[in-house]
Amino acid sequence: MSRHSKHSNDRMFFTAKERADAGYSKTRKEVMGTDCFLPFGFCGLSLKAPKDPVATPDGNIFDREAILECLLQQKLEIQAQQKKFDEQERKKEQRLKALDQEDELRQLEEFTRAEQGLLSQDLRHKRALEQAESKGSDGGPEKKLRKGELLKVDKSELRAKSFWTKEFTPTAAPTEIKKVDTSTRCPVTGKKLKVKDLISVKMDVADQKLLDQGGGKGVFCCAVSKNPIVFQQALLLKPSGVVILESVWKDIVGKEMKCPVTGKKLKGEEDILKLTTGGSGFSAHNDVEAKSFSMIRSATGDNRTQQGHLPRAGFAGLH
């Protein structure tokens, strides 16, 4: 009786299961728990409860100091890239000018030869011109090469393209730098983001003791109902910066179109911003599956997978 295909290991090639068991070309999956997700109101850069929270037009919350430092760093990198791009374009323009000058000189020489050829129909003049062109750089007659003698006597020209001489090893052309995008972007969504787009947020603390310890789930609450915001949908009132639950908006604020805390009037839906909800361990609420693909197994890859939520890689796959 033949063995099952998954347990057959006497073939002359590796099957997909054998490669996966050995750690090659395998996608490892794991379902993450609630502790793997960022609580509501936490900064997306520092991963801590923000001291001065601000929100982006997409609803992501950051600490003002962290997001300003991130945007400043992006500006500095953009300036450095722009400087390299300008230098590349300057050198490219110089090369084009040099090629144009060489082209003009060649056309001038061809015109001069043609003019001299038309003026002097005598073959002796043409022969004299040809002999003058065939002379060496020192003005003397060109040397006749012996049998088997090299055409190039200067050895530096021979070494210029030698593979074995490290000083003259030819190198690849530098990678061309593309035109720099001068706009700063959100570190979470990758969309364009400016400092003037940031909106100040007033967070009401539900548990001050938990906040002093570093924060956690339910540390912030609704400004009206005072219910902790864990994974519910929260809304930001842009004119006042107050954070409320979506249920409070439907029951109270949406009918009066006025901030219940400051009394500022709301124009409409454009003054309401949906904030990013806190993550949970339920697949119906957010994506809870983590994937890790490895083409070739290595010790570096195994060490990297240990640092996250994926367990240590083994020959049997996930434990």
Side-chain angles (χ1 to χ4, degrees), residues 121-133:
Q121 296 293 337
D122 193 352
L123 295 176
R124 290 176 297 174
H125 295 283
K126 293 182 179 180
R127 199 175 299 117
L129 290 173
E130 292 175 358
Q131 291 178 358
E133 291 176 358

Side-chain angles (χ1 to χ4, degrees), residues 145-311:
L145 300 176
R146 300 176 183 176
K147 185 177 180 181
E149 189 176 359
L150 293 175
L151 295 177
K152 292 184 178 180
V153 182
D154 190 2
K155 293 185 177 181
S156 62
E157 296 183 6
L158 299 176
R159 289 194 300 266
K161 295 183 179 181
S162 175
F163 176 80
W164 303 106
T165 309
K166 63 178 182 179
E167 291 83 0
F168 298 97
T169 302
T171 57
T175 305
E176 185 175 357
I177 303 174
K178 298 181 180 179
K179 191 174 181 180
V180 182
D181 184 9
T182 57
S183 58
T184 54
R185 298 184 176 275
C186 175
V188 175
T189 61
K191 297 181 180 179
K192 294 182 179 180
L193 178 65
K194 296 181 179 179
V195 178
K196 64 180 182 180
D197 298 333
L198 299 175
I199 306 169
S200 298
V201 181
K202 297 178 182 177
M203 290 286 192
D204 284 18
V205 180
D207 190 346
Q208 185 63 41
K209 184 177 179 180
L210 181 61
L211 181 63
D212 295 339
Q213 294 175 355
K217 293 186 181 296
V219 68
F220 299 113
C221 65
C222 174
V224 179
S225 64
K226 301 301 180 182
N227 292 330
I229 304 175
V230 183
F231 54 84
Q232 307 96 316
Q233 179 62 63
L235 302 179
L236 171 66
L237 306 181
K238 293 182 181 179
S240 59
V242 175
V243 178
I244 61 175
L245 288 171
E246 189 176 23
S247 58
V248 175
W249 163 261
K250 293 179 180 179
D251 297 339
I252 303 174
V253 184
K255 298 177 181 179
E256 299 179 357
M257 294 302 292
K258 185 174 64 174
C259 177
V261 179
T262 61
K264 294 183 178 180
K265 292 184 178 180
L266 305 175
K267 297 179 182 179
E269 295 293 337
E270 62 271 12
D271 287 342
I272 306 300
L273 177 63
K274 283 189 176 183
L275 298 177
T276 304
T277 59
S280 67
F282 298 96
S283 59
H285 183 261
N286 50 261
D287 188 12
V288 297
E289 188 178 66
K291 296 182 180 180
S292 175
F293 177 78
S294 58
M295 178 63 70
I296 299 177
R297 183 179 179 184
S298 62
T300 305
D302 290 352
N303 295 334
R304 187 186 71 249
T305 53
Q306 295 177 40
Q307 299 174 2
H309 304 289
L310 295 173

